Each structure stands twice: as structure tokens, then as C-alpha cells.
Amino acid sequence: MTTYRIAVIGGTGPQGKGLAYRWARHGHEVVVGSRASEKAVDVAEQIAQRVADEGGSPAVTGATNDEAADGAEVVVLAVPYAGHDQLVASLAERLVGKVVISCVNPLGFDKTGPYGLDIDGSAAESAATLVPGATVIGAFHHVSAVSLWSEVEYLDHEDVLVCGDSAEGKAVAQELARAVTSRIGVDAGALRMARQLEPLTAVLISINKAYKVRSGIRISGL
Amino acid sequence: MTTYRIAVIGGTGPQGKGLAYRWARHGHEVVVGSRASEKAVDVAEQIAQRVADEGGSPAVTGATNDEAADGAEVVVLAVPYAGHDQLVASLAERLVGKVVISCVNPLGFDKTGPYGLDIDGSAAESAATLVPGATVIGAFHHVSAVSLWSEVEYLDHEDVLVCGDSAEGKAVAQELARAVTSRIGVDAGALRMARQLEPLTAVLISINKAYKVRSGIRISGL
């Protein structure tokens, strides 16, 4: 198995924390990043404790987002869309030459429910524009944050959809999907497919609301 | 089982023909619509012959799009996005008071592959704006036209996602999904979710190309 040193930017949020747990459990070296290092250290300790309790040997630490990105081979953006562009711009130099995986969902909510924000392209494409020297990949948008942390089993009824313009970059994200679903992620095409994958989360939230479930996406026919 | 009299506008195209076959086989009364009635009659005869060969008693005829819409309770828009708005406008009076199901996918293709066209909203919402007196529902975007016609089995590894602003209208489309997947369709939220469902087809086409498959969507967790 290939193991990576992964920085999870925004790793104290529910999606980031859940992914960090799954990767730490799977043997990857994980740095939880946050604006405040104390919060990141606290979450890293929770994850480490849990993985150790489950019999694993976790390599997980906490740091500021900047420090986390510095030491990583793979940087995962698990941040809210509000402030996304400024955060990516602030990290830009640290992301050059790295695989950057965006899980960002630009969503709005009103009385009708969730909807995809009317943005120019997608969050992943914005990151690619802001950091031309990084290999930006879109993935892990649709996996329930609650399921990532509250369940112990692999989420093997779901697929992780991966989009990007670099086959090598996609291969990294597809490999990292194993920690979540037990299978490699699905190659879902070019980076611009993030325009479809990111707001698709609004559909899943609508389904969750209607059926009182935690839904996910599975690709049939593979 | 509730049976409907369904007009399939653009029923001579691959998606329309495949859906018409599945509905005729399932006991619905189907009118295949086309600009030219001869072509519609020809396709209706192919469908009728096939369903009869399979031991069914098909009620399927062909007509112009106008005539098809006139006699139907449910009107399915299975037309290319190019010319969609003009066609819907031309049918407007005939659609008032009816459930109108849009399967339209506004997609473009270039050397990178398929992509969602940058349109204002979605085809389904355009139809709803053009015909305020109709109950417009989005559904059946992701089912492979080839699978609909070339396979005999239910496509029970896939889901039909249904969006709309009318619970009654959604219930009709959800019921009609039985003929395709053997299960009722999934309530995927408000009509504006069509902005996500329509171009999601670009992702499926990307997957089909990468893996040489005919992919579809399944919702996990239900």
C-alpha cells in the first residue's frame, strides 16, 4: 500500500475530521490543520485516541493550516466555500508541486432547501487558477461527514468520485478513497466536472431531508 | 397499478424510444411523438412489435408531437436541448394542466469531453417558466438510452432521480420509474435541483468513456 503524508486543511470541521480519521486508521500520516493550532491538536488527539482504541498505530498530529501544508505531499481542502479563495491564495506557495484535493461544496440554503451557489466554474477550478503550480483534484464531496466519524465500517455502499486534469493526481485521490469505501475511487473525468460534483451535494442533502437518511452516490454499471 | 396515457415528445430519439418501450411494456398507453408523424408511427410499430413478441399487449401509437401532447395526461420531453425552448413554447397550450416530465440534458462536447452547458438555470425550469400552467418535473436524465432499448431486464441497479415543486407531479414520475428500474423513483428535491441533475449526465458520459461501460446513478443509504 502506498502511504501518504496528508494535510487536511480545515481538518477540525466535520468533513475534514472524518476524512482524517479514516486516513489515519488506514495507515497514512495525517496532519490536521486549522487556523488555530490548539484546536487542530485537540482534534488530532481525539483521532489518535480513537484509532489507538481500535487497535491501530495512528500517525496523526495537529498544526496550523500553514504548517500542515508545509510538510505534506497531499493537501486536502476541507473548508467551507465562504473564504475559500482567500485561504487558498494564502497557502498558494505551500501548495506548489503538490496534489491538492478539494472536497469543497459551494452550497447555499434558503427556505426551499439547499442549492448550488451560482459561481463561476467550481471551487476546485478556482483553486487550480489560484495555484497553477499545484495539481488540483476534486473528490470526496459526497461522503457524509456524519458517517465518516460515527460509523466504524467502510462506507462500501458508496463511491468516491474523482475529477481532475492529471491522471497521476487522480490516481492519488482514487487510492485515498480506499480508506473510506474500501475501493479505489471512480475516475469521473476532467477537473471541470467539479461544476457538477460539488453542487450535487445539494441533491443528496435534499434526499437526506426527504427520507431521513444519510445518502451517498454509487455508480452503477462499473 | 396506476396506468397513464403518456406522450413522449421526441419519442423517436434513443432516450425517448427506450423510455416509450419500457412504459408500453409496463402497461401504460404510450403515444410516440415526432415532428413527422410517419417517423413516429414507424417507431411506435417497432415498439409494439417488440412488446408483442415479448408476450405483452402494447398500447402504443405514433403521432405528431402536437397530437401526442393533446391526448396525453403525462407529457415527457425527450428532446435535444438545442431547440428545446422553441418546441416547449410551441406546445405550451397543450401542456397546461398536465404533468410534464423533462429528461433534457443541456450538454456540450469538445475535445476534453462532455460538459454541462452554461445556461440560466436548467431546461426543466425553462419549461416551467414557459408553461406556468403545467406541472414540470425533472426525471430520467441518467438512464442509458442504449440500456433502455438493448436490455430486457429492469435496470434495477440504477435509480431514477425525480425533482420538482409539486409532490403530486413527483409521485407520477416516481411511479413511472417502476417501468425502468422496477422501483419507484427517488425524490431528489425541488425543481431547481434539475440544475444539478441535468449536467450530471456529463459525469456519467465521462465515466462511460474511461471505463467502457454504461454507467448510471444509484443512491446509497435508502
Side-chain angles (χ1 to χ4, degrees):
Chain A
M1 188 189 116
T2 311
T3 59
Y4 294 99
R5 185 170 165 88
I6 308 167
V8 183
I9 306 302
T12 58
Q15 186 83 352
K17 181 180 175 180
L19 288 169
Y21 158 61
R22 297 281 172 161
W23 287 323
R25 192 176 82 164
H26 211 74
H28 297 289
E29 197 177 337
V30 177
V31 187
V32 173
S34 183
R35 283 173 205 275
S37 67
E38 308 78 57
K39 211 177 157 195
V41 168
D42 178 54
V43 168
E45 282 171 358
Q46 289 176 44
I47 294 170
Q49 186 64 56
R50 177 168 176 182
V51 175
D53 288 348
E54 292 170 0
S57 306
V60 54
T61 54
T64 63
N65 284 328
D66 282 0
E67 292 163 348
D70 269 339
E73 301 161 282
V74 178
V75 179
V76 176
L77 301 172
V79 296
Y81 181 65
H84 166 271
D85 287 3
Q86 294 89 321
L87 179 69
V88 172
S90 79
L91 291 171
E93 284 178 34
R94 299 178 152 91
L95 303 181
V96 171
K98 296 180 180 175
V99 173
V100 174
I101 301 176
S102 171
C103 330
V104 178
N105 289 317
L107 300 183
F109 294 85
D110 63 17
K111 62 181 165 42
T112 305
Y115 60 96
L117 291 177
D118 188 13
I119 64 172
D120 187 21
S122 60
E125 287 166 286
S126 296
T129 302
L130 287 162
V131 197
T135 301
V136 178
I137 303 296
F140 300 100
H141 303 94
H142 308 128
V143 188
S144 155
V146 177
S147 297
L148 284 170
W149 182 258
S150 72
E151 295 183 22
V152 172
E153 302 298 318
Y154 285 107
L155 308 179
D156 58 4
H157 47 295
E158 303 188 29
D159 280 312
V160 169
L161 304 186
V162 177
C163 69
D165 293 334
S166 155
E168 293 76 14
K170 283 199 278 197
V172 173
Q174 287 177 273
E175 175 65 27
L176 290 179
R178 282 190 200 277
V180 174
T181 63
S182 79
R183 295 187 308 280
I184 68 163
V186 175
D187 178 355
L191 189 63
R192 66 182 177 185
M193 290 298 111
R195 297 175 200 184
Q196 274 67 63
L197 298 182
E198 293 174 2
L200 182 59
T201 306
V203 172
L204 296 177
I205 295 170
S206 297
I207 292 171
N208 291 351
K209 209 173 154 186
Y211 293 89
K212 316 280 181 223
V213 296
R214 295 197 300 268
S215 63
I217 291 289
R218 181 79 193 249
I219 299 297
S220 68
L222 289 180
Chain B
M1 187 189 118
T2 311
T3 58
Y4 294 98
R5 187 170 163 87
I6 307 166
V8 184
I9 306 302
T12 57
Q15 186 83 352
K17 181 180 175 180
L19 288 168
Y21 158 61
R22 297 282 172 160
W23 287 324
R25 192 177 82 164
H26 211 75
H28 297 291
E29 197 178 337
V30 178
V31 186
V32 173
S34 183
R35 283 172 206 274
S37 67
E38 308 78 58
K39 211 178 157 194
V41 168
D42 177 54
V43 167
E45 283 171 358
Q46 289 175 44
I47 294 169
Q49 185 66 55
R50 176 167 177 182
V51 175
D53 288 348
E54 291 169 1
S57 305
V60 52
T61 54
T64 63
N65 284 328
D66 282 1
E67 292 163 349
D70 270 338
E73 301 162 282
V74 178
V75 178
V76 176
L77 301 173
V79 297
Y81 181 65
H84 166 269
D85 287 4
Q86 295 88 321
L87 179 70
V88 172
S90 79
L91 291 170
E93 284 179 34
R94 297 177 154 91
L95 302 181
V96 172
K98 296 179 179 174
V99 173
V100 174
I101 301 175
S102 172
C103 330
V104 177
N105 289 318
L107 300 185
F109 295 86
D110 63 18
K111 62 180 166 44
T112 306
Y115 62 96
L117 291 176
D118 188 13
I119 65 172
D120 187 22
S122 60
E125 288 167 285
S126 296
T129 302
L130 288 163
V131 196
T135 300
V136 177
I137 303 297
F140 300 101
H141 302 95
H142 309 128
V143 188
S144 154
V146 177
S147 297
L148 285 170
W149 182 257
S150 71
E151 294 183 23
V152 171
E153 301 299 317
Y154 285 107
L155 309 179
D156 58 4
H157 47 295
E158 303 189 29
D159 280 312
V160 169
L161 303 186
V162 177
C163 68
D165 293 333
S166 155
E168 294 77 12
K170 281 199 277 197
V172 172
Q174 287 176 273
E175 175 65 27
L176 290 179
R178 281 190 201 277
V180 174
T181 63
S182 79
R183 298 186 307 280
I184 68 163
V186 174
D187 179 354
L191 188 64
R192 65 183 177 185
M193 290 298 111
R195 296 175 201 184
Q196 274 66 64
L197 298 182
E198 293 174 2
L200 182 59
T201 306
V203 173
L204 296 178
I205 295 171
S206 297
I207 292 171
N208 292 351
K209 209 173 154 186
Y211 293 89
K212 316 282 181 220
V213 296
R214 295 196 298 269
S215 63
I217 291 288
R218 182 77 192 250
I219 299 296
S220 68
L222 290 180

